[in-house]
Amino acid sequence: MTVRVLVVDDQALVRAGFVKLLEPEDDLHVVGEAGDGAEAVEAVARTRPDVVLMDIRMPRLDGIEATRRVRAAGPATPRVLVLTTYDLDEYVFEALKAGASGFLLKDAPADQLVGGIRLVAAGDALLAPAVTRRLIEEFARRPVPPPGGPPELAALTSREREILVLVARGMTNAEIAAELVLGASTVKTHVGNVLSKLDLRDRVQAVVLAYETGLVAPGDRP
């Protein structure tokens, strides 16, 4: 399957670099470019990409609002992979809430970018370690939520809550399986049940919910 990619950045040279990087990949096809968020929303409707590489800081319409509009268009919307600059963007959490499926640093190695596009196209989520730290720092500055959490967490079994906590701490399915001495397929089923019961799109939203409700607190360790 060929993954259709839209490249969005306000710097033409940056866009050209991403296009050149993706050209040799047989399963990735750049269907368009956009220089700001407003152009991105229009280009999504016109080119129907599977994945949007979205810069955050852009004129006219920033990447956060563009992501929100793209993701709100309906169930068949593309997944958004946000490209951010280390330790400069303060809006990581807002972009997650807007519907981004993952983050990569702009200076990430080429293989990470290519692999990240394939990952989010397949329905997974991607958070660069430095971005994950920023997310946790954001929650560390917020008031501690009241105990118990929202009522929707009550729908989870004790095992599902346990797995949600481990997902929120950044563990992969394989790592969770090893931690809980479970089969990988069993963990995958539990994760799917958690996302379904909580009406979450992907693991990124699960991480946000776990911190937002106080199920996991910054500084917690497995």
Side-chain angles (χ1 to χ4, degrees):
M1 186 184 82
T2 300
V3 177
R4 297 165 60 82
V5 182
L6 175 68
V7 178
V8 183
D9 196 288
D10 62 332
Q11 298 183 49
L13 285 176
V14 173
R15 296 198 306 273
F18 286 133
V19 171
K20 186 175 180 61
L21 177 66
L22 299 178
E23 278 179 347
E25 305 298 326
D26 294 336
D27 61 332
L28 303 179
H29 175 54
V30 177
V31 295
E33 301 177 34
D36 60 46
E39 288 183 12
V41 174
E42 296 170 359
V44 165
R46 185 177 68 253
T47 63
R48 302 178 65 83
D50 300 304
V51 175
V52 179
L53 286 183
M54 184 80 77
D55 189 21
I56 287 185
R57 296 186 174 190
M58 295 182 292
R60 283 213 298 167
L61 192 70
D62 64 29
I64 296 172
E65 182 58 29
T67 297
R68 185 176 293 112
R69 295 186 188 184
V70 166
R71 294 295 299 171
T77 56
R79 299 175 71 80
V80 177
L81 179 58
V82 170
L83 297 167
T84 184
T85 304
Y86 177 73
D87 212 26
L88 290 179
D89 291 314
E90 301 92 1
Y91 310 110
V92 169
F93 176 66
E94 292 305 319
L96 284 173
K97 294 190 73 173
S101 294
F103 286 84
L104 272 179
L105 304 180
K106 283 189 175 181
D107 60 355
D111 60 336
Q112 284 188 19
L113 175 64
V114 171
I117 292 172
R118 293 180 178 130
L119 192 68
V120 298
D124 289 323
L126 179 68
L127 287 176
V131 177
T132 303
R133 286 195 295 273
R134 291 194 64 84
L135 178 62
I136 293 173
E137 288 166 3
E138 168 69 25
F139 283 106
R141 292 193 293 268
R142 293 168 174 243
V144 177
E152 59 261 38
L153 290 183
L156 302 181
T157 66
S158 58
R159 177 64 85 186
E160 288 166 351
R161 286 175 68 101
E162 187 176 22
I163 285 179
L164 175 56
V165 168
L166 297 180
V167 167
R169 288 172 177 157
M171 297 178 71
T172 65
N173 283 2
E175 290 168 340
I176 293 172
E179 174 77 14
L180 301 180
V181 195
L182 296 172
S185 61
T186 300
V187 172
K188 183 176 180 180
T189 298
H190 281 310
V191 171
N193 289 340
V194 168
L195 299 182
S196 177
K197 287 183 178 182
L198 300 179
D199 194 25
L200 301 174
R201 185 184 61 252
D202 53 34
R203 296 171 82 101
V204 172
Q205 286 196 331
V207 172
V208 171
L209 180 69
Y211 278 97
E212 206 167 37
T213 60
L215 186 62
V216 175
D220 282 355
R221 293 291 183 270

Coordinates of all heavy atoms in Angstrom, one line a residue, residues 34-65:
A34 N 2.2 22.5 1.4 CA 1.5 23.7 1.8 C 2.4 24.6 2.7 O 3.3 24.1 3.4 CB 0.3 23.3 2.6
G35 N 2.3 25.9 2.6 CA 3.2 26.8 3.3 C 2.6 27.4 4.6 O 3.3 28.1 5.3
D36 N 1.4 27.1 4.9 CA 0.8 27.5 6.2 C -0.4 26.6 6.5 O -0.8 25.8 5.7 CB 0.5 29.0 6.2 CG -0.6 29.4 5.2 OD1 -1.6 28.7 5.0 OD2 -0.3 30.4 4.5
G37 N -1.0 26.8 7.7 CA -2.1 26.0 8.1 C -3.3 26.1 7.2 O -4.0 25.1 6.9
A38 N -3.6 27.3 6.7 CA -4.8 27.5 5.9 C -4.6 26.8 4.6 O -5.6 26.1 4.1 CB -5.0 29.0 5.6
E39 N -3.4 26.9 4.0 CA -3.2 26.1 2.7 C -3.3 24.6 3.0 O -3.7 23.8 2.2 CB -1.8 26.4 2.2 CG -1.7 27.8 1.6 CD -0.3 28.1 1.0 OE1 0.5 27.1 0.9 OE2 0.0 29.2 0.7
A40 N -2.8 24.2 4.2 CA -2.8 22.8 4.5 C -4.3 22.2 4.6 O -4.5 21.1 4.0 CB -2.2 22.5 5.9
V41 N -5.2 23.0 5.2 CA -6.6 22.5 5.2 C -7.2 22.4 3.8 O -7.8 21.4 3.5 CB -7.4 23.5 6.1 CG1 -8.9 23.1 6.0 CG2 -6.9 23.5 7.5
E42 N -6.9 23.3 3.0 CA -7.3 23.3 1.6 C -6.7 22.1 0.8 O -7.4 21.4 0.1 CB -7.0 24.6 0.9 CG -7.7 25.8 1.4 CD -7.2 27.1 0.9 OE1 -6.3 27.1 0.1 OE2 -7.7 28.2 1.3
A43 N -5.4 21.9 1.0 CA -4.7 20.9 0.3 C -5.2 19.5 0.8 O -5.2 18.5 -0.1 CB -3.2 21.0 0.6
V44 N -5.5 19.3 2.0 CA -6.0 18.0 2.5 C -7.3 17.7 1.7 O -7.5 16.5 1.3 CB -6.3 18.1 4.0 CG1 -7.2 16.9 4.4 CG2 -5.0 18.0 4.8
A45 N -8.2 18.6 1.6 CA -9.5 18.4 0.9 C -9.2 18.1 -0.6 O -9.9 17.3 -1.2 CB -10.4 19.6 1.0
R46 N -8.2 18.7 -1.2 CA -7.9 18.5 -2.6 C -7.1 17.2 -2.9 O -7.3 16.5 -3.9 CB -7.1 19.7 -3.1 CG -6.8 19.7 -4.6 CD -6.1 21.0 -5.0 NE -4.8 21.1 -4.5 CZ -4.4 21.9 -3.5 NH1 -5.3 22.7 -2.9 NH2 -3.1 21.9 -3.1
T47 N -6.1 16.9 -2.0 CA -5.2 15.8 -2.4 C -5.5 14.5 -1.6 O -5.0 13.5 -1.9 CB -3.7 16.2 -2.0 OG1 -3.6 16.5 -0.6 CG2 -3.4 17.5 -2.8
R48 N -6.3 14.6 -0.5 CA -6.7 13.4 0.3 C -5.5 12.5 0.7 O -5.4 11.4 0.4 CB -7.7 12.6 -0.5 CG -8.9 13.3 -1.0 CD -9.9 12.5 -1.8 NE -10.4 11.4 -1.0 CZ -11.5 11.5 -0.2 NH1 -12.1 12.6 -0.1 NH2 -11.9 10.4 0.5
P49 N -4.6 13.1 1.5 CA -3.4 12.4 1.9 C -3.8 11.4 3.1 O -4.9 11.5 3.7 CB -2.5 13.5 2.5 CG -3.4 14.5 3.0 CD -4.6 14.5 2.0
D50 N -2.9 10.4 3.3 CA -3.1 9.5 4.4 C -2.4 10.1 5.7 O -2.9 9.9 6.8 CB -2.4 8.2 4.1 CG -3.1 7.5 2.9 OD1 -4.3 7.3 2.9 OD2 -2.3 7.2 2.0
V51 N -1.3 10.8 5.5 CA -0.5 11.4 6.6 C -0.1 12.8 6.2 O 0.3 13.1 5.1 CB 0.8 10.6 6.9 CG1 1.6 11.3 8.0 CG2 0.4 9.2 7.3
V52 N -0.3 13.8 7.2 CA 0.1 15.1 7.0 C 1.3 15.4 7.9 O 1.3 15.2 9.1 CB -1.0 16.1 7.4 CG1 -0.5 17.6 7.2 CG2 -2.2 15.9 6.5
L53 N 2.5 15.8 7.3 CA 3.6 16.3 8.1 C 3.4 17.7 8.4 O 3.4 18.6 7.5 CB 4.9 16.1 7.3 CG 5.5 14.7 7.1 CD1 6.8 14.8 6.4 CD2 5.7 14.0 8.5
M54 N 3.1 18.1 9.7 CA 2.6 19.4 10.0 C 3.6 20.2 10.9 O 3.9 19.7 12.0 CB 1.3 19.3 10.7 CG 0.6 20.6 11.1 SD -0.2 21.3 9.7 CE -1.7 20.3 9.6
D55 N 4.1 21.3 10.4 CA 4.9 22.2 11.3 C 3.9 22.9 12.3 O 2.7 23.0 12.0 CB 5.6 23.3 10.4 CG 6.6 24.1 11.2 OD1 7.0 23.7 12.3 OD2 6.9 25.2 10.7
I56 N 4.4 23.4 13.4 CA 3.5 24.0 14.4 C 3.5 25.5 14.1 O 2.4 26.1 14.0 CB 4.0 23.7 15.8 CG1 3.7 22.3 16.2 CG2 3.3 24.7 16.8 CD1 4.0 22.0 17.6
R57 N 4.6 26.2 14.1 CA 4.7 27.6 14.0 C 4.6 28.1 12.5 O 5.6 27.9 11.8 CB 5.9 28.2 14.7 CG 5.9 27.9 16.2 CD 7.0 28.5 16.9 NE 6.9 28.4 18.3 CZ 7.7 29.0 19.2 NH1 8.6 29.8 18.8 NH2 7.5 28.8 20.5
M58 N 3.5 28.6 12.1 CA 3.3 29.1 10.7 C 2.4 30.3 10.7 O 1.6 30.5 11.6 CB 2.7 28.0 9.8 CG 3.5 26.7 9.7 SD 2.8 25.5 8.6 CE 1.4 25.0 9.7
P59 N 2.6 31.1 9.7 CA 1.7 32.3 9.6 C 0.3 32.0 9.2 O 0.0 30.8 8.8 CB 2.4 33.1 8.4 CG 3.1 32.1 7.6 CD 3.6 31.1 8.6
R60 N -0.6 33.0 9.3 CA -2.0 32.9 8.9 C -2.8 31.9 9.8 O -3.7 32.3 10.6 CB -2.2 32.5 7.5 CG -2.0 33.6 6.5 CD -2.9 33.4 5.3 NE -2.7 32.2 4.6 CZ -3.5 31.8 3.6 NH1 -4.7 32.4 3.4 NH2 -3.3 30.7 3.0
L61 N -2.4 30.6 9.8 CA -3.0 29.6 10.6 C -1.9 28.6 11.1 O -1.2 28.0 10.3 CB -4.1 28.8 9.8 CG -5.0 27.9 10.6 CD1 -6.0 28.8 11.4 CD2 -5.8 27.1 9.6
D62 N -1.8 28.5 12.4 CA -0.7 27.6 12.9 C -1.1 26.2 12.8 O -2.2 25.8 12.4 CB -0.3 28.0 14.3 CG -1.4 27.8 15.3 OD1 -2.3 26.9 15.1 OD2 -1.5 28.5 16.4
G63 N -0.1 25.3 13.1 CA -0.3 23.9 12.9 C -1.3 23.3 13.9 O -1.9 22.2 13.6
I64 N -1.5 23.9 15.0 CA -2.4 23.4 16.0 C -3.8 23.5 15.5 O -4.6 22.6 15.4 CB -2.3 24.1 17.4 CG1 -0.9 23.8 18.0 CG2 -3.4 23.7 18.3 CD1 -0.6 24.6 19.2
E65 N -4.2 24.7 15.1 CA -5.5 25.0 14.6 C -5.8 24.2 13.2 O -6.9 23.7 13.0 CB -5.8 26.5 14.4 CG -7.2 26.8 13.9 CD -8.3 26.3 14.8 OE1 -8.1 26.2 16.0 OE2 -9.4 26.0 14.3

